[in-house]
Amino acid sequence: MTDESVHYQPPPDSSRLTGRVAIVTGAGSRSSDIGNGRAAAILLARRGAQVLLLDANLAAAQQTLRMIESENGVALALQTDVTQPDQCQSAVRRAVEAWGRVDILVNNVGITGPAGTAVEVDLDDWDQALRVNLTSMMLMAKHAIPEMRKRQAGAIVNIASVAGLMGGTTSLLYPTTKGAIVNMTRAMAAHHGTEGIRVNCVAPGMVYTPMVAGRMTPELRETRRMRSLLQTEGSGWDVGHAVAYLASDEARWVTGVILPVDAGATAGTAKMPSLRNDFKRAPD
């Protein structure tokens, strides 16, 4: 046992992020409601972080900004296409210009992408969706990690999906990219652990967010709810709380973890048919 482990004492509130600078991609939302990125940004700001809000839709990021400022939080909104290397570099530079450092990166941007199996999917659409869902995370990390290295500390949280952990999705693109995020997280954790940079992944289940709300019937919404062990519906707030935990010192000894936030959906199904119990006690 090292002296460090013997003498470590957590601060009074390890959840606080006062003085930290966070970048959240996809920090807007498709409506005025709360998606994963908006929730994460608000919760990081509530813990004291200064948050750079990136979104291709500036108006959406500005709405998140107003929500944070209404709670006396500190943030900036920046229109950014995270598929473009120069814009990713500019975003990190903007955070450093504003606050002098980068401590936290939340790679949240993602789209459903094109439908279809390997036989059916359009190749150009496939390439573009890969760039949005996967390459964007590498590009943001490429420019954020050098800033984290300056302090030998940092936290990256990548947003995947339970679709990347199990089969059953009708399209090929979405689960492929989400599964790639899972193993990219593990690889990055191994690459940068000795530099004090933790890399973890949140895999949301069937949360109800603006990304899916407009495409869902009440019947489908109920079916999704009933698929989990808790049989309750999650929201962007549930995902955001997981992000905030992984970004904080409460998770100082956590890296390379894939955290499902799914009401137990990946652990099993709530109701399974069972055989008649034929157990008989052995005679004494």
Side-chain angles (χ1 to χ4, degrees):
M1 186 176 293
T2 66
D3 288 344
E4 181 183 5
S5 62
V6 170
H7 297 296
Y8 171 75
Q9 292 292 329
D13 189 352
S14 301
S15 70
R16 294 298 298 168
L17 297 171
T18 304
R20 309 277 175 90
V21 174
I23 299 175
V24 180
T25 73
S29 181
R30 298 191 182 188
S31 73
S32 60
D33 292 328
I34 301 296
N36 297 338
R38 176 169 285 167
I42 292 171
L43 292 171
L44 292 172
R46 284 180 183 174
R47 292 186 181 213
Q50 299 159 107
V51 188
L52 182 62
L53 310 167
L54 306 186
D55 205 287
N57 183 336
L58 181 59
Q62 289 172 330
Q63 186 170 17
T64 305
L65 173 63
R66 290 191 292 272
M67 292 176 174
I68 290 173
E69 290 181 336
S70 72
E71 299 179 353
N72 298 314
V74 178
L76 291 170
L78 183 66
Q79 186 171 25
T80 305
D81 179 352
V82 290
T83 69
Q84 300 304 310
D86 58 334
Q87 294 193 40
C88 294
Q89 184 177 32
S90 295
V92 172
R93 186 184 302 121
R94 182 71 182 93
V96 174
E97 288 171 351
W99 299 305
R101 56 195 289 169
V102 173
D103 302 282
I104 299 161
L105 170 64
V106 181
N107 276 320
N108 169 70
V109 162
I111 58 175
T112 304
T117 65
V119 176
E120 301 156 346
V121 69
D122 178 85
L123 182 57
D124 290 338
D125 291 344
W126 171 273
D127 287 344
Q128 176 59 22
L130 278 176
R131 195 165 184 90
V132 174
N133 283 9
L134 188 60
T135 306
S136 67
M137 297 191 177
M138 177 275 292
L139 290 172
M140 286 302 304
K142 176 185 286 291
H143 298 291
I145 287 172
E147 294 299 324
M148 296 176 180
R149 282 174 172 164
K150 293 177 181 179
R151 290 171 175 77
Q152 287 290 291
I156 298 174
V157 184
N158 298 323
I159 307 300
S161 167
V162 296
L165 303 175
M166 54 196 297
T169 306
T170 55
S171 70
L172 182 63
L173 182 284
Y174 188 75
T176 298
T177 56
K178 296 304 181 178
I181 292 166
V182 166
N183 274 332
M184 181 174 70
T185 297
R186 292 173 175 142
M188 290 173 64
H191 293 164
H192 304 292
T194 57
E195 298 172 324
I197 299 169
R198 299 181 297 104
V199 187
N200 292 293
C201 175
V202 175
M206 294 185 179
V207 292
Y208 189 73
T209 65
M211 182 175 176
V212 302
R215 298 177 286 141
M216 191 176 300
T217 65
E219 293 77 17
L220 178 56
R221 185 175 179 182
E222 178 66 7
T223 298
R224 284 162 51 98
R225 181 182 73 82
M226 294 298 292
R227 285 184 61 179
S228 69
L229 298 183
L230 295 180
Q231 296 190 350
T232 56
E233 184 174 77
S235 73
W237 293 116
D238 298 297
V239 177
H241 280 296
V243 170
Y245 159 70
L246 290 171
S248 76
D249 288 344
E250 290 180 322
R252 63 180 285 272
W253 215 52
V254 178
T255 196
V257 161
I258 314 305
L259 176 59
V261 179
D262 65 352
T266 51
T269 54
K271 295 179 181 179
M272 290 285 288
S274 59
L275 299 173
R276 178 178 54 84
N277 191 322
D278 62 355
F279 173 78
K280 294 182 181 179
R281 183 188 296 272
D284 295 335

